[in-house]
Amino acid sequence: MKLEEKLEHTESPVRSCQPCLNDTYQANGKPRANEKAEVYEKQEANGKGKCLNLYTWEEIQRHNKETDQWLVIDRKVYNVTDWAGKHPGGHRVLNHYAGEDATDAFRAMHLNLSTVRLYLQPLLIGELSPEEPSQEKNKNAQSSFLQHDIGHNSMFKKSKWNRLMHRFVMCHLKGLSADWWNYRHFQHHVKPNIYPKDPDIDLGPLFLVGDTQPVKYGKKKIKYIDYEKQHLYFYMVALPLLMPVYFNLQSMQVMYLRKYWVDIAWVSSFYLRYFITFGPFYGIFGTVLLIYLVKFIESPWIAYVTQMSHIPMKMSKDENHDWLSTQIVATCNIEQSFFNDWFTGHLNFQIEHHLFPTMPRHNYHKVAPLVKSLCAKHGLQYINKPILKAFGDIIRSLKKSAALWMEAYYE
């Protein structure tokens, strides 16, 4: 899977073959006029010449900060610093790939590539030098489930219909912010189980997961709660309170702080619908209890489905692997059966879902054999386990993390 090509840094990071327009680029990637610069003149498909700087990976990887973000898509170099705040999936998704090749993530997460490329064109600042590899040297080339499908643009052919329906289901039917979900969930997809880029594994101070976070807390003598028993209070805290407390409060907080006025209006319609329908029978207090009772009942289901495929898997800092390896080591599947397909909303094929997030979920089983053979070819472990073992692996993983914390804390 790893490319054998090694980056050669014997020449300047920005290379060229002839001068063009007397433009040069500043450190932030923006053009400065009336100065000399070496650039590469590339003929586009329409026959018109366009001047593009040539960059090496050494240069591109320097631009990996939130205030200075370059990324590569199909060998083209884009400066997305100023545009990141306008990105529909949130600015952090772009920041997670700053200084890296984002081709696979770009193709996996977008439905209409031709439309998206229109937004990329003004951000284009250059391309990779011909001798550079296409990727960095360590890379190779139900209502809850309904909103999940729509959020991934896998229901309608047009993205605008997916976005509209996603707001209706997520905000009006479930009472949660669609923009909050996108902002959080897309980060999880592009960098699963990677500290600190995946918000789904930032469970502190209640839970410590993986191998590095517990040791970090332990060495710093941090003990917000008795982590030795986290595998026990998982049943009392995480399972019943994930939806009614954690997700609900975080959704409201993000809507307010980021001023998601459209989502606020849609979510208000959720509560208005409940009070109009049930208020005459149960009153205000009784209706509020009913809302949170439904979320309370739903919570263990969502917690098990979302956590059993990730918590037991490898968690690490960003090692900048290729798309396939990044997704495979962080996810696992649950054996297929009629019950498992229904209970998980076909997300028992979590590996396939992470590799092809815009694919409709009822098609995952069709590509699973191909993915499994691809993993075998490249020496990647394709994990497929019984559902009860997956439930148990959550607890075993929490116990293991707690043991690592104890060892570091009491040493």
Side-chain angles (χ1 to χ4, degrees):
M1 290 292 293
K2 295 183 179 179
L3 292 173
E4 298 299 329
E5 300 97 321
K6 296 184 178 180
L7 293 176
E8 299 179 2
H9 306 307
T10 56
E11 301 182 37
S12 173
V14 183
R15 302 194 50 210
S16 67
C17 53
Q18 65 179 62
C20 179
L21 300 182
N22 293 323
D23 284 348
T24 189
Y25 278 77
Q26 306 176 53
N28 63 2
K30 295 181 180 179
R32 182 191 298 134
N34 301 322
E35 291 185 25
K36 292 184 179 181
E38 294 183 333
V39 297
Y40 174 68
E41 186 171 342
K42 180 177 178 65
Q43 296 297 323
E44 302 293 338
N46 59 9
K48 296 181 180 179
K50 183 172 182 178
C51 299
L52 295 176
N53 272 16
L54 291 181
Y55 295 101
T56 65
W57 279 115
E58 180 187 12
E59 167 67 10
I60 293 166
Q61 289 169 342
R62 293 175 187 156
H63 302 271
N64 62 350
K65 302 177 180 61
E66 191 166 345
T67 56
D68 182 18
Q69 304 179 47
W70 292 10
L71 52 80
V72 176
I73 299 173
D74 291 327
R75 298 189 64 85
K76 296 290 196 303
V77 182
Y78 298 92
N79 183 349
V80 298
T81 308
D82 296 333
W83 189 80
K86 304 174 185 177
H87 185 240
H91 69 278
R92 289 190 179 180
V93 174
L94 297 182
N95 184 236
H96 293 342
Y97 270 92
E100 301 179 18
D101 178 77
T103 303
D104 289 338
F106 173 78
R107 292 180 177 275
M109 299 300 294
H110 296 96
L111 187 61
N112 300 316
L113 296 180
S114 57
T115 301
V116 180
R117 289 185 191 280
L118 297 178
Y119 292 90
L120 283 176
Q121 193 59 34
L123 310 177
L124 180 66
I125 61 171
E127 66 180 3
L128 287 172
S129 296
E131 71 274 12
E132 290 291 324
S134 295
Q135 297 175 314
E136 304 93 305
K137 60 182 179 180
N138 56 331
K139 280 187 179 178
N140 277 332
Q142 295 79 10
S143 68
S144 292
F145 301 128
L146 176 62
Q147 74 82 18
H148 185 265
D149 278 1
I150 303 169
H152 278 293
N153 293 322
S154 59
M155 178 169 284
F156 300 103
K157 290 184 177 180
K158 293 188 176 181
S159 296
K160 66 177 182 180
W161 289 110
N162 283 303
R163 288 195 294 270
L164 178 61
M165 187 58 71
H166 187 227
R167 288 196 193 279
F168 175 77
V169 175
M170 191 67 169
C171 300
H172 181 68
L173 297 186
K174 298 193 66 61
L176 296 171
S177 167
D179 284 340
W180 158 78
W181 185 87
N182 287 336
Y183 184 79
R184 178 189 179 94
H185 195 63
F186 292 167
Q187 292 183 71
H188 162 70
H189 264 274
V190 298
K191 295 290 183 179
N193 281 16
I194 292 176
Y195 295 114
K197 298 181 177 181
D198 182 358
D200 283 6
I201 61 174
D202 184 14
L203 303 176
L206 284 177
F207 295 95
L208 302 179
V209 294
D211 296 338
T212 58
Q213 187 185 36
V215 174
K216 178 182 176 181
Y217 271 54
K219 288 183 176 180
K220 292 185 176 182
K221 308 304 177 185
I222 299 176
K223 187 179 181 181
Y224 293 117
I225 200 169
D226 192 353
Y227 296 119
E228 301 171 41
K229 298 181 175 63
Q230 67 174 2
H231 62 288
L232 297 177
Y233 62 75
F234 171 82
Y235 294 105
M236 298 178 287
V237 178
L239 289 184
L241 301 182
L242 178 68
M243 289 293 291
V245 178
Y246 181 64
F247 278 177
N248 211 57
L249 291 179
Q250 191 179 72
S251 171
M252 291 182 177
Q253 179 189 35
V254 171
M255 278 194 297
Y256 173 74
L257 294 178
R258 297 184 178 276
K259 297 179 174 60
Y260 292 157
W261 302 119
V262 175
D263 277 11
I264 290 174
W266 274 101
V267 171
S268 297
S269 73
F270 164 83
Y271 288 97
L272 185 63
R273 173 172 57 86
Y274 258 88
F275 285 119
I276 290 175
T277 305
F278 300 103
F281 303 100
Y282 304 122
I284 295 177
F285 183 71
T287 302
V288 171
L289 284 180
L290 177 62
I291 290 172
Y292 285 92
L293 175 62
V294 172
K295 293 179 180 290
F296 179 82
I297 294 173
E298 179 188 28
S299 189
W301 179 29
I302 297 298
Y304 269 129
V305 170
T306 56
Q307 302 306 312
M308 64 184 177
S309 294
H310 293 294
I311 284 187
M313 303 303 292
K314 179 183 177 181
M315 298 181 186
S316 65
K317 292 185 177 181
D318 197 348
E319 298 173 350
N320 197 11
H321 289 308
D322 58 272
W323 179 258
L324 177 64
S325 300
T326 298
Q327 306 302 326
I328 294 295
V329 300
T331 56
C332 67
N333 281 4
I334 310 302
E335 292 178 348
Q336 185 182 22
S337 70
F338 178 82
F339 174 81
N340 289 353
D341 288 354
W342 168 81
F343 183 81
T344 65
H346 290 274
L347 292 180
N348 48 330
F349 292 96
Q350 190 72 200
I351 293 174
E352 287 70 27
H353 170 60
H354 265 258
L355 290 174
F356 312 107
T358 61
M359 178 182 290
R361 52 192 164 99
H362 60 270
N363 289 329
Y364 293 151
H365 74 279
K366 297 178 182 178
V367 299
L370 300 176
V371 173
K372 188 174 182 179
S373 64
L374 184 65
C375 290
K377 177 181 178 181
H378 294 289
L380 295 171
Q381 189 176 11
Y382 182 96
I383 298 177
N384 189 33
K385 62 180 70 170
I387 192 168
L388 293 180
K389 183 180 185 302
F391 291 167
D393 282 349
I394 297 176
I395 306 305
R396 285 184 281 271
S397 178
L398 291 174
K399 289 180 70 174
K400 177 186 175 184
S401 297
L404 291 172
W405 171 82
M406 289 171 57
E407 183 179 348
Y409 186 83
Y410 293 110
E411 68 179 4

PDB file of all heavy atoms in Angstrom, residues 29 58 105 118 235 272 297 303 319 389:
ATOM      1  N   GLY A  29       0.323  32.109  -0.060  1.00  0.00           N
ATOM      2  CA  GLY A  29      -0.194  31.538  -1.298  1.00  0.00           C
ATOM      3  C   GLY A  29      -0.889  32.526  -2.194  1.00  0.00           C
ATOM      4  O   GLY A  29      -1.357  32.168  -3.262  1.00  0.00           O
ATOM      5  N   GLU A  58       7.346  19.062   0.053  1.00  0.00           N
ATOM      6  CA  GLU A  58       8.031  19.770   1.136  1.00  0.00           C
ATOM      7  C   GLU A  58       7.420  21.138   1.366  1.00  0.00           C
ATOM      8  O   GLU A  58       7.194  21.568   2.500  1.00  0.00           O
ATOM      9  CB  GLU A  58       9.519  19.903   0.801  1.00  0.00           C
ATOM     10  CG  GLU A  58      10.318  20.638   1.877  1.00  0.00           C
ATOM     11  CD  GLU A  58      11.742  20.908   1.434  1.00  0.00           C
ATOM     12  OE1 GLU A  58      12.039  20.736   0.229  1.00  0.00           O
ATOM     13  OE2 GLU A  58      12.543  21.297   2.293  1.00  0.00           O
ATOM     14  N   ALA A 105     -10.585  11.696  -0.091  1.00  0.00           N
ATOM     15  CA  ALA A 105     -11.631  12.243   0.775  1.00  0.00           C
ATOM     16  C   ALA A 105     -12.579  13.129  -0.024  1.00  0.00           C
ATOM     17  O   ALA A 105     -13.799  13.088   0.177  1.00  0.00           O
ATOM     18  CB  ALA A 105     -11.001  13.037   1.920  1.00  0.00           C
ATOM     19  N   LEU A 118     -16.381  23.802  -9.423  1.00  0.00           N
ATOM     20  CA  LEU A 118     -16.578  25.217  -9.736  1.00  0.00           C
ATOM     21  C   LEU A 118     -16.145  26.094  -8.570  1.00  0.00           C
ATOM     22  O   LEU A 118     -15.634  27.198  -8.759  1.00  0.00           O
ATOM     23  CB  LEU A 118     -18.054  25.473 -10.075  1.00  0.00           C
ATOM     24  CG  LEU A 118     -18.599  24.767 -11.308  1.00  0.00           C
ATOM     25  CD1 LEU A 118     -20.077  25.064 -11.488  1.00  0.00           C
ATOM     26  CD2 LEU A 118     -17.822  25.195 -12.561  1.00  0.00           C
ATOM     27  N   TYR A 235     -22.762   1.987  31.247  1.00  0.00           N
ATOM     28  CA  TYR A 235     -24.163   1.552  31.199  1.00  0.00           C
ATOM     29  C   TYR A 235     -25.104   2.587  31.795  1.00  0.00           C
ATOM     30  O   TYR A 235     -26.240   2.741  31.342  1.00  0.00           O
ATOM     31  CB  TYR A 235     -24.335   0.230  31.956  1.00  0.00           C
ATOM     32  CG  TYR A 235     -23.632  -0.950  31.327  1.00  0.00           C
ATOM     33  CD1 TYR A 235     -22.458  -1.455  31.868  1.00  0.00           C
ATOM     34  CD2 TYR A 235     -24.133  -1.546  30.178  1.00  0.00           C
ATOM     35  CE1 TYR A 235     -21.809  -2.547  31.298  1.00  0.00           C
ATOM     36  CE2 TYR A 235     -23.501  -2.633  29.594  1.00  0.00           C
ATOM     37  CZ  TYR A 235     -22.335  -3.128  30.156  1.00  0.00           C
ATOM     38  OH  TYR A 235     -21.691  -4.198  29.591  1.00  0.00           O
ATOM     39  N   LEU A 272     -42.702  22.816  18.619  1.00  0.00           N
ATOM     40  CA  LEU A 272     -44.049  23.344  18.396  1.00  0.00           C
ATOM     41  C   LEU A 272     -45.010  22.229  18.016  1.00  0.00           C
ATOM     42  O   LEU A 272     -46.154  22.168  18.499  1.00  0.00           O
ATOM     43  CB  LEU A 272     -44.000  24.417  17.298  1.00  0.00           C
ATOM     44  CG  LEU A 272     -45.318  25.159  17.020  1.00  0.00           C
ATOM     45  CD1 LEU A 272     -45.753  25.944  18.251  1.00  0.00           C
ATOM     46  CD2 LEU A 272     -45.143  26.103  15.825  1.00  0.00           C
ATOM     47  N   ILE A 297     -35.227   6.443  25.326  1.00  0.00           N
ATOM     48  CA  ILE A 297     -35.402   5.078  24.817  1.00  0.00           C
ATOM     49  C   ILE A 297     -34.522   4.844  23.585  1.00  0.00           C
ATOM     50  O   ILE A 297     -33.944   3.770  23.400  1.00  0.00           O
ATOM     51  CB  ILE A 297     -36.887   4.824  24.474  1.00  0.00           C
ATOM     52  CG1 ILE A 297     -37.725   4.848  25.755  1.00  0.00           C
ATOM     53  CG2 ILE A 297     -37.061   3.495  23.742  1.00  0.00           C
ATOM     54  CD1 ILE A 297     -39.216   4.780  25.506  1.00  0.00           C
ATOM     55  N   ALA A 303     -26.266   4.579  20.759  1.00  0.00           N
ATOM     56  CA  ALA A 303     -24.939   4.462  21.379  1.00  0.00           C
ATOM     57  C   ALA A 303     -24.255   3.164  20.965  1.00  0.00           C
ATOM     58  O   ALA A 303     -23.069   3.166  20.587  1.00  0.00           O
ATOM     59  CB  ALA A 303     -25.060   4.540  22.897  1.00  0.00           C
ATOM     60  N   GLU A 319      -1.369   9.817  11.322  1.00  0.00           N
ATOM     61  CA  GLU A 319      -0.191   9.229  10.707  1.00  0.00           C
ATOM     62  C   GLU A 319      -0.183   9.435   9.200  1.00  0.00           C
ATOM     63  O   GLU A 319       0.677   8.925   8.494  1.00  0.00           O
ATOM     64  CB  GLU A 319      -0.135   7.733  11.046  1.00  0.00           C
ATOM     65  CG  GLU A 319      -0.011   7.476  12.550  1.00  0.00           C
ATOM     66  CD  GLU A 319      -0.133   5.999  12.908  1.00  0.00           C
ATOM     67  OE1 GLU A 319      -0.499   5.195  12.009  1.00  0.00           O
ATOM     68  OE2 GLU A 319       0.118   5.653  14.068  1.00  0.00           O
ATOM     69  N   LYS A 389     -20.486  -9.959  20.480  1.00  0.00           N
ATOM     70  CA  LYS A 389     -19.056  -9.755  20.740  1.00  0.00           C
ATOM     71  C   LYS A 389     -18.705  -8.282  20.573  1.00  0.00           C
ATOM     72  O   LYS A 389     -17.885  -7.730  21.335  1.00  0.00           O
ATOM     73  CB  LYS A 389     -18.210 -10.592  19.782  1.00  0.00           C
ATOM     74  CG  LYS A 389     -16.699 -10.481  20.054  1.00  0.00           C
ATOM     75  CD  LYS A 389     -15.895 -11.332  19.088  1.00  0.00           C
ATOM     76  CE  LYS A 389     -14.412 -11.329  19.439  1.00  0.00           C
ATOM     77  NZ  LYS A 389     -13.829  -9.970  19.459  1.00  0.00           N
TER      78      LYS A 389
END
